[in-house]
Amino acid sequence: MPIKFEKVSHIYSDGSPFTYTALKEIDLEIIEGKMTAIIGATGSGKSTLVQHLNALLLPTSGKVEVLDRIIASDEKPTKLKSLRKNVGLVFQFPEYQLFEETIIKDVAFGPKNFEFSEEEAIAKAKKALAMVDIDPSYYDKSPLDLSGGQKRRVAIAGILAMDPKVIVLDEPTAGLDPQGAKAIMELFKKLNKEYNKTIIIVSHDMEHVFNYCDDVVVLDHGNVRCHLSVDQFFKDSNWCEQLHIIPPFIIQAKELLKNRGIEITKDIKTVDELAEEIAKKVIK
Amino acid sequence: MGSFTLGKYLPLNSCIHKLDPRAKIIAMLIVLIAIFIPAGWLGYGLIALAVISLIFMAKLSLKFVIKAMKPMLFMMVFLLVINILVVKSGTIILSIGSFAIYTDAIIQTLYIVVRLVLMIMITTALTATTKPLDLTLGIEDLLKPFARFKVPSHEIAMLISIALRFIPDLIEETQRIMKAQTSRGVDLKEGKLKEKVMAILSLIVPLFVSAFQRAEDLANAMEARGYAPGATRTRYKVLKMERNDYILLVVSFVLCIALIILAIL
């Protein structure tokens, strides 16, 4: 069951002097079980787009199909809880949503809201905290005493504990140190591969998009510019140029090698693979 | 919260927008006094005419002004109920058993409602046409003469402008946290009392945490830039009264006098 946008527009403060069209008749189909990156400049409508996925925002016109729910502009949706349980949305800087006295209680807050019993919620919270690598000795500490990176991971665990089928993340690595960012991206990849979760991730980091995602959607002034597989997207250097994106390191290296007469056509992701390919060419 | 228009500035281009904030504040105060002069329906008609033409000159839509009154609706209904229960004079228009509604109750409520509506209209006209920062500049200048009585006019103005400056931020923050908690299954509209309390708690705690954080950051930033309360400093924007400002003052003054005369007659 794909996630489908059909002619979806979203206009903020329609009919007032502050009116602003964030999405312009978007058609988009995100395939389940994949890890899709949404990229685009500031103000291109990324955050607006992802908030339609769990009906926090409703389309001004058009309709959104998520799992088995259809959210259309002309009817007020009811019983959104099941949708929100299945589509977990992690906002930018999610650490601001922490509020409970202890970490374990805060993470269990989500599942408890979705009608799980106290014990079940705690069990789910423990599982989620283990996933984000928070040591059990922290469980009874206040979430406000943690470091920035730890807070972020606890907040993400708060969504994971709901066990959603689709996980949507709005710039989950913003403001994290490189190691912390890498650990989080690896966690999402694991959730995608091992637990078969559909992951949608808004990102500015091309290295992350290149290394971890399957598909990429480019938004530009409220329009979908393209929707390609990550390999296709970076293979065509025109895209990066047009969108003023600095390509990932490996792609830059390939481009430089090509200019020097060494053309590598195979899709590679790591430095080791690149070295191997170069070795092959050189030995020939 | 997006439709909350009370106190919101509307960036339009009209002659009212260009007036000196000091003139606007004084004129508003004069009209507010005029509203409380018991000059009967004719007096209220006069004020209403003046206020509506002011709104018209400011290019504000009546819809916007009416929207600003929404939060007061509850108060108006409340007043009506209280008056109906308390006031027992005039003639009876409706009686159910021992319970009766008197004409005076209705008339008194109407008086209060009209006063309230006019007050909201005039204050909305002020806040919608004056940037919050200009307003505080005006307040600062108007408070200056009270420095003799140790009124810290600059500090008060700074306090107000900081408070005003953070309102949109806090509203945005509230909406953001609301959305984040809604994503975690919080239902702010439905649910049992215990769930509702939990829902509000999940909103208030993060809001306070971030508000204190912001306050601390701002204090540090101000100190880093050498801000010291009470120091003399120059201003980027210097207010100047012009012909239109004096006209506004004269008109509001004349209106007030006219009402006093009407009340005495």
Side-chain angles (χ1 to χ4, degrees), chain A:
Chain A
M1 181 95 45
I3 294 163
K4 236 160 112 181
F5 283 74
E6 264 177 60
K7 290 211 181 316
V8 172
S9 295
H10 191 87
I11 305 170
Y12 286 106
S13 317
D14 202 1
S16 87
F18 304 104
T19 181
Y20 176 72
T21 308
L23 295 177
K24 295 167 193 160
E25 298 207 347
I26 275 189
D27 286 308
L28 182 65
E29 202 175 321
I30 294 169
I31 299 146
E32 219 180 359
K34 283 208 176 187
M35 196 155 160
T36 305
I38 296 176
I39 62 173
T42 337
S44 56
K46 301 178 300 255
S47 294
T48 309
L49 180 81
V50 295
Q51 284 178 41
H52 281 80
L53 292 168
N54 71 350
L56 280 178
L57 291 179
L58 302 173
T60 312
S61 66
K63 64 176 182 179
V64 185
E65 236 181 289
V66 187
L67 301 171
D68 47 3
R69 286 293 299 266
I70 294 174
I71 310 287
S73 58
D74 41 12
E75 55 188 301
K76 222 174 160 90
T78 50
K79 297 204 178 79
L80 286 169
K81 260 202 168 173
S82 68
L83 175 68
R84 293 201 172 128
K85 192 213 159 284
N86 285 318
V87 182
L89 184 65
V90 179
F91 276 86
Q92 254 178 70
F93 302 107
E95 46 274 29
Y96 286 124
Q97 74 200 33
L98 302 172
F99 76 99
E100 279 277 19
E101 296 148 61
T102 64
I103 289 172
I104 190 87
K105 264 186 172 174
D106 199 286
V107 177
F109 179 65
K112 254 194 287 183
N113 282 327
F114 293 114
E115 325 291 322
F116 286 103
S117 71
E118 188 84 28
E119 294 81 45
E120 277 176 306
I122 296 284
K124 278 179 181 290
K126 282 185 177 159
K127 209 176 137 201
L129 281 166
M131 269 191 215
V132 296
D133 222 8
I134 295 282
D135 194 79
S137 64
Y138 282 96
Y139 287 0
D140 290 321
K141 284 193 180 170
S142 162
L144 302 177
D145 290 338
L146 297 174
S147 76
Q150 286 171 323
K151 272 189 203 168
R152 177 80 52 95
R153 280 184 284 154
V154 169
I156 290 172
I159 298 292
L160 296 184
M162 289 153 38
D163 197 20
K165 290 191 183 114
V166 179
I167 303 171
V168 187
L169 303 125
D170 196 347
E171 292 193 47
T173 60
L176 287 187
D177 59 288
Q179 272 91 26
K182 194 173 170 228
I184 280 189
M185 289 308 293
E186 238 130 59
L187 166 70
F188 299 146
K189 189 84 210 167
K190 190 173 134 197
L191 286 168
N192 176 242
K193 286 278 166 298
E194 285 175 28
Y195 297 87
N196 204 24
K197 307 276 186 204
T198 306
I199 308 244
I200 297 166
I201 196 160
V202 173
S203 185
H204 279 299
D205 191 319
M206 288 309 126
E207 300 291 342
H208 290 159
V209 173
F210 180 68
N211 286 320
Y212 299 103
C213 298
D214 302 308
D215 283 353
V216 59
V217 174
V218 179
L219 286 186
D220 185 22
H221 291 104
N223 296 303
V224 175
R225 272 291 282 279
C226 66
H227 182 189
L228 296 165
S229 78
V230 165
D231 290 329
Q232 270 177 315
F233 178 75
F234 286 113
K235 204 178 256 176
D236 188 349
S237 59
N238 283 333
W239 280 119
C240 285
E241 239 165 74
Q242 267 183 39
L243 299 162
H244 307 287
I245 294 170
I246 299 168
F249 165 72
I250 296 286
I251 299 293
Q252 284 183 43
K254 268 169 107 176
E255 197 70 16
L256 287 171
L257 285 165
K258 195 177 159 192
N259 293 344
R260 297 290 182 90
I262 305 171
E263 191 164 1
I264 294 161
T265 44
K266 205 177 151 196
D267 291 327
I268 48 169
K269 298 258 155 160
T270 63
V271 178
D272 287 347
E273 282 176 320
L274 181 68
E276 226 169 82
E277 287 299 310
I278 296 170
K280 269 189 210 160
K281 293 269 176 189
V282 175
I283 288 164
K284 257 184 214 166

